[in-house]
Amino acid sequence: MKLIVAIVKPFKVDEVKTALLELGLQGMTVSEAQGFGRQRGHSEVYRGKEYTIDFVPKSRIEVLVDDPDVPRVVDTLMEHARTGQIGDGKVWVLPLDAVYRVRTGEAGSDAL
Amino acid sequence: MKLIVAIVKPFKVDEVKTALLELGLQGMTVSEAQGFGRQRGHSEVYRGKEYTIDFVPKSRIEVLVDDPDVPRVVDTLMEHARTGQIGDGKVWVLPLDAVYRVRTGEAGSDAL
Amino acid sequence: MKLIVAIVKPFKVDEVKTALLELGLQGMTVSEAQGFGRQRGHSEVYRGKEYTIDFVPKSRIEVLVDDPDVPRVVDTLMEHARTGQIGDGKVWVLPLDAVYRVRTGEAGSDAL
Amino acid sequence: MPKIDTGDTAWVLVASALVLFMTPGLAMFYGGMVRSKNMLAMLMQNFFAMGIVTVLWVLFGYSLAFGGAGNAGLIGNFDFVGLKDLAHAVSGSVPSLAFVAFQLTFAVITPALITGAIADRMRWAAWVGFITLWSILVYLPVAHWVFAGGWLAERGALDFAGGTVVHVNAGAGGLALVFLLGKRRGWPKEPMPPHSLAWTLMGTGILWFGWFGFNAGSALAANGVAAQAFMNTFVAPAAAMLGWLIVERLKDGHATTLGAASGAVAGLVAITPCAGFVGSLAAVVIGAVTGAVCYLAIGLKFRFGYDDALDVVAVHLVGGILGSILLGLFADASVNAAGKDGVFFGGGWGLFGEQVLAVAVVFAFSFIVSGVIGLALKAVLPKGIRVTEEEEHTGLDLTQHAESAYAFDRA
Amino acid sequence: MPKIDTGDTAWVLVASALVLFMTPGLAMFYGGMVRSKNMLAMLMQNFFAMGIVTVLWVLFGYSLAFGGAGNAGLIGNFDFVGLKDLAHAVSGSVPSLAFVAFQLTFAVITPALITGAIADRMRWAAWVGFITLWSILVYLPVAHWVFAGGWLAERGALDFAGGTVVHVNAGAGGLALVFLLGKRRGWPKEPMPPHSLAWTLMGTGILWFGWFGFNAGSALAANGVAAQAFMNTFVAPAAAMLGWLIVERLKDGHATTLGAASGAVAGLVAITPCAGFVGSLAAVVIGAVTGAVCYLAIGLKFRFGYDDALDVVAVHLVGGILGSILLGLFADASVNAAGKDGVFFGGGWGLFGEQVLAVAVVFAFSFIVSGVIGLALKAVLPKGIRVTEEEEHTGLDLTQHAESAYAFDRA
Amino acid sequence: MPKIDTGDTAWVLVASALVLFMTPGLAMFYGGMVRSKNMLAMLMQNFFAMGIVTVLWVLFGYSLAFGGAGNAGLIGNFDFVGLKDLAHAVSGSVPSLAFVAFQLTFAVITPALITGAIADRMRWAAWVGFITLWSILVYLPVAHWVFAGGWLAERGALDFAGGTVVHVNAGAGGLALVFLLGKRRGWPKEPMPPHSLAWTLMGTGILWFGWFGFNAGSALAANGVAAQAFMNTFVAPAAAMLGWLIVERLKDGHATTLGAASGAVAGLVAITPCAGFVGSLAAVVIGAVTGAVCYLAIGLKFRFGYDDALDVVAVHLVGGILGSILLGLFADASVNAAGKDGVFFGGGWGLFGEQVLAVAVVFAFSFIVSGVIGLALKAVLPKGIRVTEEEEHTGLDLTQHAESAYAFDRA
Ligand SMILES: Nc1ncnc2c1ncn2[C@@H]1O[C@H](COP(=O)(O)OP(=O)(O)O)[C@@H](O)[C@H]1O
Ligand SMILES: Nc1ncnc2c1ncn2[C@@H]1O[C@H](COP(=O)(O)OP(=O)(O)O)[C@@H](O)[C@H]1O
Ligand SMILES: Nc1ncnc2c1ncn2[C@@H]1O[C@H](COP(=O)(O)OP(=O)(O)O)[C@@H](O)[C@H]1O
């Protein structure tokens, strides 16, 4: 079992979600994040005073997957999160000790 | 040292927090998330146009614990986050290389 | 490759960001969180009824780093997130299996 | 036929617009205080009053309330069904339709006041049924008794702009519903803080602004009495705001924004029956007392365990009772010849007694009939009058109206 | 020189203030419906109307619209350029400048109505150009034809407060722009829910409030006709709200807050041309019909695939047409001697025909000229009239105005 | 006893309501510009003005400002303490109490204007003390000098609706406090963007709407002068909006929503002293100039390093000075017999001199006395007048009022 985390552009979340479903995944967890990196932010002006906002809105996707599925999931994530523009984001894979489903207490793959 | 992450229904956070305190834990970090899974979302109608929102509001709880405490914490989390309804969420355990307390620089168990 | 996560006081984020840039890091991801710990929250009163809010606003910083950089990054994070007051937060280090850059598919250090 | 005075007409028309504007103001005042998941349901219950009550009023409501005015009776008649024969009629010095519109604005906001008590748990269909029946069975008769020369007015009770008809009436109705609906789940343990006091403050500003039309417009002319009522509508809420803030500061340690807003509204409620009958200094006293007392009255719901969500009882019922009864003390005929002298101005206890009677009668009538209506709906409606635990939990906006109040995007 | 009546003057001044307040109200009504990233752009397009149109009006707009009033012609003249000679003039029973200000408020809000159709995608510079040209080339002539005794008025068409001049006119202009701009990316597949219905409801309250000035103020006096117009402006939106909610409930399964707001506005639109010419019961019917029909009219944009973002066509164009034409049926000279009898009151089909003609003429003229203006701007402006995909995606607030509507801090 | 004119009375009553509504409008205008953690504190400081100033006014404020009107003196007297003897009195053609209420609305909003300068850092207790003392020691005398036939008025200075009494006066007071309070921590380096421009725009709409009462109401009658003042209050802010947007566009590359709002308010400020004394075209010029100049005046705080948080100096002080002085050029007796001719209308430099003197005197008096009051409070209050670093950091809402402006739930 692995935890795959992807930082993607918010408007790509729906596309990614659909793609993962087609892969047969059952679920995922998404949260809002602010990204900083090569992609530059924007600036705002209020009464002549300019502010630069360095951070860019990103979505943070977490997916629990069985080890064999990792490559396919990672590829799918990258394929559908990609625009080719700077700021498309990152994907990383974390090892897991255990996973449980709260409702039933099931553990491991059964918990997904 | 492990990092336990739990995705739970937002209105369960207070109950879970209280239970963890009784276990003797000192702290936790909670963030907002949108969950997707078996539990279906809801639909909204604006001027006759219907939208389906697939994502469900969830809370994401992170707790750092010493290895021996992991089982008790996981059980407590599951017990108090449980409603028995679909959508109760997941709990997963991640291995940790190190933990520090910013204020003092203390490391490991002392950092909790 | 490691994932360093830091829970810090929100108004410290800019300072931390600048410090990490000076270290030569290229990016980071920040999200909002609510912390619970030794630092107590505050209370509000509405029409004579008092509510206590236990949670304190925190920022959650994620940084992907190459193994050799871990110590310097951790130290920098702690140094610049520190106020000396209770509630400065935690820093923890997670092992990683893999990291990819969505835009290019590059893996490992090249992905940063 | 009496002549129309253009100045009086201009004033009554403007006053009507001002009072109509109070209902959206009330919606925002209340809406800001509920949790965001129930914001729209609150707005909807209030805006709906502008729809249903208005149509009923034109069809037969005005006629039942003001037909046969001065008959010292229990109810009006059907002379003006569909507002017939009013197009060219004159009331006092203004076109009758201006008077009809002005009175309509009162009929609209009165049931709307009830929404604050029942917040967060009443089924939409139940509210539709309740406001329809309540407007007909409770508001029309009471308006006739007090505003249209019905029996209470003929006995001598004074109510310049609706202390009994509007505030005691709505407060009693709200209290009855609160008992039938029961507490919100989690109350009073779970925190249910206001989701946007900015809306509550905006609503307060609109209410105060519109209340000038409510009270000074009740003079039905642009004259000295209107000016006195206007001045009193200015100073009473001001004094009440200070009264509330001081007590609050002493008791809770903080002067709060919600307290300033609540105090002002309490003062506006209390001065309503007195506006054109008391002097400016009396208004200061009435306001200050009301601010302090209404703040303390909030404690009642915790002591007695009834969940009056947004304190309609403490602010409107208690405030309305206070104003109506204090009028028995502070009424000053030298301010308005059409008024009387209260206890403090040598008028003895006669007026005071009539005020107490009027309050008691309106409270009892509204409380009982409202309860009966609520029970009837509970029995008749397939799903009852209260939402399910699941629905209450998800919020009324999504479950009753399939909408969300807010959606901040970040793409 | 005719004498000024202070009551009439007070009323017209207040009515002017009320109508001016409608434009911010409209901004909020629309703003709440767009996504948060386009909120400010919407507010800006509306507030800008208060700036540019006002200056044009003083310089020459009023003169071109109302100069040579009664000439049964196509356009006014330059007699009042810079409002010269008006400081002490009197119109009817009010100072001419009060009339100038009142009419200006109409000139301001009419182009503002168009912003709802073009939401989320028009370049700021293009809007600046469009509203300037549209006000001059479309609004001024049409206002002259109908409000200033121009050819349509002389033929006998009735329009009490702007069913054709304001609503059909703006609706046609919006439709033309919608075709030129094209659909928003993702429409209709992607959800584009309102970001804050609280603002939309606040806007609705302000619009209704201000509309009393719009319609009853159009009597230009504080008299019985004003009172009738006021009453109709009260009841028509109420009936329309009910009409919309009922159909919506049957069709979608829910009565929505946005539906209540939309129905009320549709009713206000439809009663605008009729306000001072029909009786109270006719207003109930006109309102109810409009509420139901306008709700159904929203389906058109999906059927025909034009992206009228906030339904200016369904609410203002359809509502304006309905009101103007129903007036041909419900007009009742017994309500207002200056009016006529419609089909239902024995007036035959003459008025009805004139109403149809007026609607057709105004629609055709506005649609065509608006289209020409849009095409011209498209050709002339270096960046065209529509934002780039990237800009549309990021939102107009940041890309057109370098601002964000909201910033909730948590430090 | 002079007779009451119902039309004039209707207008003055409505104008009073409109001006009172400006204070909540100002609260929202300012509130939207601060960070969300200080929203309620801003609203509270403004709403509190409606409470405290109103009570002071009734008790003795009106009497000290308008008692002994026309005495060419420094202060009024105690003839009207508690508003005694005014219930049936008449001022001009309206009930005296209508005049009292109208003037009260000015007394309320003037200190409220100061809150924009001191945003985000003043202790609540300090504001309570400051506004109380300032209203008595600064506002009452200045109002007497200019509005009640005090010495400045007798010398011949003109101020139709409060350019000096309201705007220069408040601006100077704000500037003094800014120096005493010091900069907000982090200013000007840290970004402190507006947290909700939607509120700021809503506030702008309310301010413009209410300002018609402010300026046109100052005619104290529904006549031609009121109409001229109304028209000028319409066109000056419009021209100022355009002026501000153009300069802003050239200098910063964007025309902003906040710029449109700020320009409109600046124009309203500048036209205030001129409203009933200048013609429509002069209003266009005055507005356009003000919009451009006030925008540029914002640079001053950065150049000189004083933290005037929401630009009360640039908008109200500079705008008030501009309007008062430009009146010396554009005043036109042919518009208003009660007025005079300025330089451009053959009146020579006499009026101009008086205007400059009035501005200088009011500025100096307000600046000095405000400073003294601030210093006194600093010395007397145990915790001083400024919040601690920790409190400033957490925000005033939580630390001063134990409330949060927003709480969006997601259960
Ligand atoms: N070292 C890092 N640690 C954590 N997140 C990062 C790191 N570098 C980049 N990110 C995240 O990835 C996003 C995209 O990175 P960026 O450098 O802007 O573009 P790209 O990944 O296409 O080179 C950033 O906004 C940030 O959220
Ligand atoms: N594969 C997954 N990876 C990450 N999070 C998941 C995954 N599956 C479910 N979740 C999270 O758990 C929540 C509950 O899952 P769901 O399938 O709806 O109910 P249950 O866990 O009771 O079967 C989801 O809303 C989502 O936040
Ligand atoms: N066991 C824990 N697991 C996860 N996060 C924690 C834990 N303990 C504390 N935190 C996070 O660290 C923050 C600071 O902790 P706190 O105990 O308040 O201060 P300090 O770290 O200075 O002792 C908390 O607000 C919370 O977000």
PDB file of all heavy atoms in Angstrom, chain D residues 301-323:
ATOM      1  N   LYS D 301     -33.969  32.217  27.985  1.00  0.00           N
ATOM      2  CA  LYS D 301     -34.038  30.990  27.190  1.00  0.00           C
ATOM      3  C   LYS D 301     -33.110  29.919  27.732  1.00  0.00           C
ATOM      4  O   LYS D 301     -33.400  28.725  27.637  1.00  0.00           O
ATOM      5  CB  LYS D 301     -33.763  31.271  25.721  1.00  0.00           C
ATOM      6  CG  LYS D 301     -32.337  31.606  25.363  1.00  0.00           C
ATOM      7  CD  LYS D 301     -32.212  31.823  23.847  1.00  0.00           C
ATOM      8  CE  LYS D 301     -30.805  32.199  23.456  1.00  0.00           C
ATOM      9  NZ  LYS D 301     -30.687  32.499  22.004  1.00  0.00           N
ATOM     10  N   PHE D 302     -32.017  30.349  28.347  1.00  0.00           N
ATOM     11  CA  PHE D 302     -31.112  29.361  28.920  1.00  0.00           C
ATOM     12  C   PHE D 302     -31.691  28.860  30.239  1.00  0.00           C
ATOM     13  O   PHE D 302     -31.685  27.677  30.531  1.00  0.00           O
ATOM     14  CB  PHE D 302     -29.721  29.956  29.123  1.00  0.00           C
ATOM     15  CG  PHE D 302     -29.070  30.370  27.838  1.00  0.00           C
ATOM     16  CD1 PHE D 302     -28.868  31.704  27.530  1.00  0.00           C
ATOM     17  CD2 PHE D 302     -28.688  29.405  26.906  1.00  0.00           C
ATOM     18  CE1 PHE D 302     -28.280  32.074  26.329  1.00  0.00           C
ATOM     19  CE2 PHE D 302     -28.103  29.764  25.707  1.00  0.00           C
ATOM     20  CZ  PHE D 302     -27.904  31.109  25.413  1.00  0.00           C
ATOM     21  N   ARG D 303     -32.265  29.761  31.014  1.00  0.00           N
ATOM     22  CA  ARG D 303     -32.854  29.355  32.281  1.00  0.00           C
ATOM     23  C   ARG D 303     -33.988  28.377  32.037  1.00  0.00           C
ATOM     24  O   ARG D 303     -34.069  27.323  32.638  1.00  0.00           O
ATOM     25  CB  ARG D 303     -33.340  30.592  33.051  1.00  0.00           C
ATOM     26  CG  ARG D 303     -34.235  30.257  34.223  1.00  0.00           C
ATOM     27  CD  ARG D 303     -33.812  30.765  35.613  1.00  0.00           C
ATOM     28  NE  ARG D 303     -32.905  31.873  35.736  1.00  0.00           N
ATOM     29  CZ  ARG D 303     -33.139  33.126  35.299  1.00  0.00           C
ATOM     30  NH1 ARG D 303     -34.264  33.408  34.657  1.00  0.00           N
ATOM     31  NH2 ARG D 303     -32.256  34.069  35.493  1.00  0.00           N
ATOM     32  N   PHE D 304     -34.861  28.714  31.081  1.00  0.00           N
ATOM     33  CA  PHE D 304     -36.039  27.863  30.871  1.00  0.00           C
ATOM     34  C   PHE D 304     -35.872  26.845  29.750  1.00  0.00           C
ATOM     35  O   PHE D 304     -36.776  26.052  29.476  1.00  0.00           O
ATOM     36  CB  PHE D 304     -37.274  28.733  30.651  1.00  0.00           C
ATOM     37  CG  PHE D 304     -37.598  29.589  31.834  1.00  0.00           C
ATOM     38  CD1 PHE D 304     -37.371  30.964  31.805  1.00  0.00           C
ATOM     39  CD2 PHE D 304     -38.083  29.025  33.017  1.00  0.00           C
ATOM     40  CE1 PHE D 304     -37.627  31.759  32.921  1.00  0.00           C
ATOM     41  CE2 PHE D 304     -38.358  29.821  34.129  1.00  0.00           C
ATOM     42  CZ  PHE D 304     -38.127  31.182  34.089  1.00  0.00           C
ATOM     43  N   GLY D 305     -34.735  26.895  29.085  1.00  0.00           N
ATOM     44  CA  GLY D 305     -34.440  25.843  28.120  1.00  0.00           C
ATOM     45  C   GLY D 305     -35.264  25.811  26.848  1.00  0.00           C
ATOM     46  O   GLY D 305     -35.479  24.753  26.266  1.00  0.00           O
ATOM     47  N   TYR D 306     -35.762  26.965  26.401  1.00  0.00           N
ATOM     48  CA  TYR D 306     -36.431  26.980  25.096  1.00  0.00           C
ATOM     49  C   TYR D 306     -35.467  27.617  24.095  1.00  0.00           C
ATOM     50  O   TYR D 306     -34.795  28.594  24.425  1.00  0.00           O
ATOM     51  CB  TYR D 306     -37.753  27.754  25.149  1.00  0.00           C
ATOM     52  CG  TYR D 306     -37.628  29.211  25.555  1.00  0.00           C
ATOM     53  CD1 TYR D 306     -37.465  30.223  24.606  1.00  0.00           C
ATOM     54  CD2 TYR D 306     -37.651  29.590  26.896  1.00  0.00           C
ATOM     55  CE1 TYR D 306     -37.345  31.547  24.977  1.00  0.00           C
ATOM     56  CE2 TYR D 306     -37.508  30.909  27.284  1.00  0.00           C
ATOM     57  CZ  TYR D 306     -37.361  31.887  26.312  1.00  0.00           C
ATOM     58  OH  TYR D 306     -37.224  33.215  26.687  1.00  0.00           O
ATOM     59  N   ASP D 307     -35.382  27.061  22.898  1.00  0.00           N
ATOM     60  CA  ASP D 307     -34.374  27.496  21.938  1.00  0.00           C
ATOM     61  C   ASP D 307     -34.913  28.565  20.981  1.00  0.00           C
ATOM     62  O   ASP D 307     -35.234  28.294  19.836  1.00  0.00           O
ATOM     63  CB  ASP D 307     -33.843  26.281  21.165  1.00  0.00           C
ATOM     64  CG  ASP D 307     -32.787  26.665  20.139  1.00  0.00           C
ATOM     65  OD1 ASP D 307     -32.296  27.810  20.164  1.00  0.00           O
ATOM     66  OD2 ASP D 307     -32.462  25.808  19.294  1.00  0.00           O
ATOM     67  N   ASP D 308     -34.999  29.781  21.498  1.00  0.00           N
ATOM     68  CA  ASP D 308     -35.410  30.926  20.679  1.00  0.00           C
ATOM     69  C   ASP D 308     -34.141  31.381  19.952  1.00  0.00           C
ATOM     70  O   ASP D 308     -33.418  32.264  20.420  1.00  0.00           O
ATOM     71  CB  ASP D 308     -35.949  32.022  21.605  1.00  0.00           C
ATOM     72  CG  ASP D 308     -36.245  33.311  20.862  1.00  0.00           C
ATOM     73  OD1 ASP D 308     -36.360  33.287  19.625  1.00  0.00           O
ATOM     74  OD2 ASP D 308     -36.340  34.359  21.542  1.00  0.00           O
ATOM     75  N   ALA D 309     -33.896  30.778  18.791  1.00  0.00           N
ATOM     76  CA  ALA D 309     -32.591  30.856  18.131  1.00  0.00           C
ATOM     77  C   ALA D 309     -31.979  32.261  18.114  1.00  0.00           C
ATOM     78  O   ALA D 309     -30.854  32.462  18.556  1.00  0.00           O
ATOM     79  CB  ALA D 309     -32.686  30.289  16.721  1.00  0.00           C
ATOM     80  N   LEU D 310     -32.703  33.234  17.586  1.00  0.00           N
ATOM     81  CA  LEU D 310     -32.107  34.559  17.424  1.00  0.00           C
ATOM     82  C   LEU D 310     -32.748  35.591  18.354  1.00  0.00           C
ATOM     83  O   LEU D 310     -32.748  36.788  18.074  1.00  0.00           O
ATOM     84  CB  LEU D 310     -32.179  34.992  15.963  1.00  0.00           C
ATOM     85  CG  LEU D 310     -31.647  33.966  14.954  1.00  0.00           C
ATOM     86  CD1 LEU D 310     -31.728  34.525  13.540  1.00  0.00           C
ATOM     87  CD2 LEU D 310     -30.228  33.537  15.290  1.00  0.00           C
ATOM     88  N   ASP D 311     -33.319  35.106  19.447  1.00  0.00           N
ATOM     89  CA  ASP D 311     -33.826  35.995  20.493  1.00  0.00           C
ATOM     90  C   ASP D 311     -34.963  36.921  20.085  1.00  0.00           C
ATOM     91  O   ASP D 311     -34.990  38.103  20.444  1.00  0.00           O
ATOM     92  CB  ASP D 311     -32.663  36.798  21.089  1.00  0.00           C
ATOM     93  CG  ASP D 311     -31.583  35.878  21.632  1.00  0.00           C
ATOM     94  OD1 ASP D 311     -31.902  35.024  22.468  1.00  0.00           O
ATOM     95  OD2 ASP D 311     -30.434  35.944  21.143  1.00  0.00           O
ATOM     96  N   VAL D 312     -35.910  36.353  19.402  1.00  0.00           N
ATOM     97  CA  VAL D 312     -37.104  37.127  19.054  1.00  0.00           C
ATOM     98  C   VAL D 312     -37.893  37.454  20.320  1.00  0.00           C
ATOM     99  O   VAL D 312     -38.460  38.544  20.451  1.00  0.00           O
ATOM    100  CB  VAL D 312     -37.985  36.332  18.058  1.00  0.00           C
ATOM    101  CG1 VAL D 312     -39.320  37.017  17.853  1.00  0.00           C
ATOM    102  CG2 VAL D 312     -37.244  36.174  16.736  1.00  0.00           C
ATOM    103  N   VAL D 313     -37.875  36.536  21.263  1.00  0.00           N
ATOM    104  CA  VAL D 313     -38.590  36.775  22.518  1.00  0.00           C
ATOM    105  C   VAL D 313     -37.920  37.912  23.296  1.00  0.00           C
ATOM    106  O   VAL D 313     -38.566  38.889  23.678  1.00  0.00           O
ATOM    107  CB  VAL D 313     -38.627  35.494  23.375  1.00  0.00           C
ATOM    108  CG1 VAL D 313     -39.141  35.801  24.783  1.00  0.00           C
ATOM    109  CG2 VAL D 313     -39.502  34.444  22.703  1.00  0.00           C
ATOM    110  N   ALA D 314     -36.615  37.812  23.478  1.00  0.00           N
ATOM    111  CA  ALA D 314     -35.917  38.814  24.290  1.00  0.00           C
ATOM    112  C   ALA D 314     -35.961  40.197  23.655  1.00  0.00           C
ATOM    113  O   ALA D 314     -36.088  41.208  24.342  1.00  0.00           O
ATOM    114  CB  ALA D 314     -34.468  38.393  24.502  1.00  0.00           C
ATOM    115  N   VAL D 315     -35.872  40.246  22.328  1.00  0.00           N
ATOM    116  CA  VAL D 315     -35.819  41.549  21.667  1.00  0.00           C
ATOM    117  C   VAL D 315     -37.206  42.069  21.280  1.00  0.00           C
ATOM    118  O   VAL D 315     -37.572  43.194  21.621  1.00  0.00           O
ATOM    119  CB  VAL D 315     -34.895  41.504  20.430  1.00  0.00           C
ATOM    120  CG1 VAL D 315     -34.951  42.811  19.655  1.00  0.00           C
ATOM    121  CG2 VAL D 315     -33.467  41.197  20.868  1.00  0.00           C
ATOM    122  N   HIS D 316     -37.996  41.233  20.601  1.00  0.00           N
ATOM    123  CA  HIS D 316     -39.283  41.737  20.110  1.00  0.00           C
ATOM    124  C   HIS D 316     -40.422  41.591  21.106  1.00  0.00           C
ATOM    125  O   HIS D 316     -41.204  42.522  21.303  1.00  0.00           O
ATOM    126  CB  HIS D 316     -39.628  41.083  18.770  1.00  0.00           C
ATOM    127  CG  HIS D 316     -38.673  41.477  17.703  1.00  0.00           C
ATOM    128  ND1 HIS D 316     -38.796  42.647  16.991  1.00  0.00           N
ATOM    129  CD2 HIS D 316     -37.527  40.898  17.274  1.00  0.00           C
ATOM    130  CE1 HIS D 316     -37.791  42.755  16.148  1.00  0.00           C
ATOM    131  NE2 HIS D 316     -36.994  41.712  16.300  1.00  0.00           N
ATOM    132  N   LEU D 317     -40.515  40.436  21.747  1.00  0.00           N
ATOM    133  CA  LEU D 317     -41.613  40.260  22.700  1.00  0.00           C
ATOM    134  C   LEU D 317     -41.377  41.138  23.929  1.00  0.00           C
ATOM    135  O   LEU D 317     -42.196  42.002  24.260  1.00  0.00           O
ATOM    136  CB  LEU D 317     -41.739  38.788  23.105  1.00  0.00           C
ATOM    137  CG  LEU D 317     -42.870  38.467  24.087  1.00  0.00           C
ATOM    138  CD1 LEU D 317     -44.213  38.973  23.570  1.00  0.00           C
ATOM    139  CD2 LEU D 317     -42.919  36.976  24.360  1.00  0.00           C
ATOM    140  N   VAL D 318     -40.221  40.966  24.558  1.00  0.00           N
ATOM    141  CA  VAL D 318     -39.920  41.765  25.747  1.00  0.00           C
ATOM    142  C   VAL D 318     -39.860  43.254  25.396  1.00  0.00           C
ATOM    143  O   VAL D 318     -40.453  44.098  26.077  1.00  0.00           O
ATOM    144  CB  VAL D 318     -38.595  41.303  26.393  1.00  0.00           C
ATOM    145  CG1 VAL D 318     -38.192  42.246  27.524  1.00  0.00           C
ATOM    146  CG2 VAL D 318     -38.739  39.878  26.910  1.00  0.00           C
ATOM    147  N   GLY D 319     -39.186  43.574  24.290  1.00  0.00           N
ATOM    148  CA  GLY D 319     -39.089  44.974  23.880  1.00  0.00           C
ATOM    149  C   GLY D 319     -40.460  45.566  23.577  1.00  0.00           C
ATOM    150  O   GLY D 319     -40.752  46.714  23.934  1.00  0.00           O
ATOM    151  N   GLY D 320     -41.302  44.774  22.919  1.00  0.00           N
ATOM    152  CA  GLY D 320     -42.642  45.263  22.577  1.00  0.00           C
ATOM    153  C   GLY D 320     -43.493  45.465  23.817  1.00  0.00           C
ATOM    154  O   GLY D 320     -44.240  46.446  23.923  1.00  0.00           O
ATOM    155  N   ILE D 321     -43.362  44.553  24.761  1.00  0.00           N
ATOM    156  CA  ILE D 321     -44.121  44.686  26.015  1.00  0.00           C
ATOM    157  C   ILE D 321     -43.648  45.918  26.768  1.00  0.00           C
ATOM    158  O   ILE D 321     -44.442  46.766  27.190  1.00  0.00           O
ATOM    159  CB  ILE D 321     -43.951  43.414  26.885  1.00  0.00           C
ATOM    160  CG1 ILE D 321     -44.639  42.224  26.207  1.00  0.00           C
ATOM    161  CG2 ILE D 321     -44.490  43.647  28.281  1.00  0.00           C
ATOM    162  CD1 ILE D 321     -44.407  40.891  26.897  1.00  0.00           C
ATOM    163  N   LEU D 322     -42.328  46.045  26.895  1.00  0.00           N
ATOM    164  CA  LEU D 322     -41.759  47.202  27.604  1.00  0.00           C
ATOM    165  C   LEU D 322     -42.263  48.503  27.014  1.00  0.00           C
ATOM    166  O   LEU D 322     -42.775  49.375  27.727  1.00  0.00           O
ATOM    167  CB  LEU D 322     -40.239  47.178  27.494  1.00  0.00           C
ATOM    168  CG  LEU D 322     -39.445  46.591  28.645  1.00  0.00           C
ATOM    169  CD1 LEU D 322     -37.971  46.624  28.319  1.00  0.00           C
ATOM    170  CD2 LEU D 322     -39.738  47.377  29.918  1.00  0.00           C
ATOM    171  N   GLY D 323     -42.135  48.643  25.689  1.00  0.00           N
ATOM    172  CA  GLY D 323     -42.543  49.881  25.046  1.00  0.00           C
ATOM    173  C   GLY D 323     -44.015  50.172  25.264  1.00  0.00           C
ATOM    174  O   GLY D 323     -44.400  51.290  25.619  1.00  0.00           O
TER     175      GLY D 323
END
